Amino acid sequence: MTQISIIGTSKCGKTTYLAALALCPYQNKYPGLEVTPRGPDAEKLVEMAKDIICEGFRMPGNRREEDRRKYEFDIRIPKLTEPIKLLVKDSSGELFDELVLDKGDWKKDVKDLVEELCQTEVTGWIIMTDWIKESDTKIYKPALKNLFTELNNYENSNKKNQDTSKKRIAVMMSKCERGEAWTGRLDPGDDLFRLRLPKTYQELQKQKYNPKRIDFFACSSFGVLGDKNPRPNRLISPDNDMREYAYLREGNEWRPYGLFSPIYWLVKGSRYWDESM
């Protein structure tokens, strides 16, 4: 079984992304694409998807003191001979937020997180961000600098474990249905991260990793209204900003973007032929 861990700050869209993956509304548009939730947690996520995305209900995020949620799926992707048995481990936003801190026991928490992410059964990670420019230097750059510093320390002290250094890391920007981000989705490294989160992008470029180990992705759990109508297919109340939970504008037109591409890359090491998935 393939196990992937997903980490990201509070309200960046981790659970909404997993809910869209679980419900996978456009399977009938891709012959051969199947997503089968396994177990009560994943099946519950399907119901959450209906509440969060279709009805716009607010969902509580994972709390730091709770066990991290695990969701299991069987995924069949067209032209891929073998299905992916996927176990996704979701983390609390509070856990990621501790990466920004420079006080208390944050170093111990980061060390514990890295050790967990580097376990043999973990194939790779998804690091999820939003694209708010104010978060570039306040959250993402310091968080990822601390994360990769501890990752380098861990790998240097565990050089005999070659599996650790081969784990891929997909850095994925969420909420790309917004016009400011939608046009950059095809080349997210240069056209999203470099422009929207430039300091974070520079920090990631400093890492002395094989370029095939880190790659950039764009996703949207809501998508847009259509090829000829690129307005975001989501609504939020007028007094909320983009960090708040949203809901579908047109349920019949729900077609998320980029849900499968990072998973396929983490497992196979190559891009999927259809980036819209």
Side-chain angles (χ1 to χ4, degrees):
M1 178 178 295
T2 298
Q3 180 173 327
I4 292 172
S5 289
I6 181 169
I7 60 175
T9 191
S10 301
K11 299 182 181 179
C12 71
K14 299 186 303 298
T15 304
T16 305
Y17 163 75
L18 293 173
L21 181 68
L23 191 54
C24 191
Y26 56 86
Q27 292 186 56
N28 61 336
K29 297 182 180 181
Y30 289 92
L33 176 64
E34 297 179 13
V35 178
T36 306
R38 298 294 185 189
D41 288 342
E43 291 171 358
K44 184 178 179 181
L45 194 60
V46 174
E47 298 304 316
M48 291 179 184
K50 296 175 182 177
D51 291 340
I52 299 168
I53 300 174
C54 298
E55 302 296 335
F57 294 165
R58 181 184 297 271
M59 178 180 173
N62 294 351
R63 296 184 61 83
R64 176 69 177 86
E65 63 271 15
E66 295 176 344
D67 291 336
R68 296 173 66 190
R69 295 171 181 154
K70 296 181 180 180
Y71 303 107
E72 186 175 342
F73 309 94
D74 287 346
I75 300 177
R76 286 187 175 273
I77 296 179
K79 296 187 178 181
L80 190 62
T81 56
E82 296 182 0
I84 298 173
K85 291 187 176 296
L86 180 67
L87 175 63
V88 181
K89 197 168 187 180
D90 191 6
S91 70
S92 71
E94 293 173 7
L95 182 62
F96 184 88
D97 292 341
E98 289 183 1
L99 291 166
V100 184
L101 301 179
D102 192 19
K103 59 183 179 180
D105 294 332
W106 74 269
K107 287 189 176 181
K108 179 182 182 301
D109 292 332
V110 174
K111 182 178 180 179
D112 291 344
L113 174 63
V114 168
E115 289 182 355
E116 179 181 332
L117 293 173
C118 290
Q119 294 300 307
T120 302
E121 60 269 20
V122 178
T123 300
W125 325 343
I126 293 175
I127 299 175
M128 183 176 283
T129 75
D130 56 31
W131 47 263
I132 299 177
K133 284 192 173 182
E134 291 77 8
S135 300
D136 186 24
T137 55
K138 291 182 179 179
I139 298 176
Y140 296 123
K141 178 184 176 181
L144 295 181
K145 180 178 181 180
N146 289 332
L147 176 64
F148 280 96
T149 295
E150 191 56 46
L151 175 61
N152 289 330
N153 292 338
Y154 181 87
E155 292 185 350
N156 288 335
S157 62
N158 292 270
K159 290 185 177 180
K160 292 183 179 180
N161 185 356
Q162 297 298 319
D163 290 339
T164 298
S165 62
K166 294 179 181 178
K167 295 182 187 298
R168 300 185 185 96
I169 302 168
V171 187
M172 182 168 70
M173 188 174 289
S174 66
K175 307 183 183 182
C176 288
E177 67 275 357
R178 288 279 290 257
E180 300 93 321
W182 184 250
T183 56
R185 70 194 186 281
L186 299 179
D187 189 356
D190 279 343
D191 295 342
L192 287 179
F193 283 91
R194 185 174 62 84
L195 297 179
R196 302 297 307 184
L197 304 176
K199 298 299 183 182
T200 302
Y201 183 74
Q202 291 173 14
E203 184 63 38
L204 290 170
Q205 297 301 309
K206 291 179 183 178
Q207 304 304 325
K208 296 180 180 179
Y209 291 124
N210 184 316
K212 293 183 179 180
R213 186 177 179 188
I214 297 179
D215 210 347
F216 297 91
F217 296 84
C219 81
S220 169
S221 298
F222 294 91
V224 297
L225 290 174
D227 294 337
K228 297 182 180 180
N229 186 358
R231 289 184 300 162
N233 189 15
R234 70 177 180 88
L235 294 172
I236 55 176
S237 60
D239 58 344
N240 286 339
D241 62 23
M242 67 163 288
R243 283 180 173 272
E244 297 299 323
Y245 291 104
Y247 57 96
L248 284 171
R249 182 194 301 261
E250 295 288 345
N252 292 333
E253 298 296 329
W254 182 23
R255 185 170 177 173
Y257 175 86
L259 302 183
F260 297 93
S261 293
I263 295 172
Y264 185 91
W265 180 79
L266 287 172
V267 175
K268 298 297 181 181
S270 59
R271 289 276 186 166
Y272 188 56
W273 61 274
D274 188 341
E275 290 293 323
S276 68
M277 291 175 58

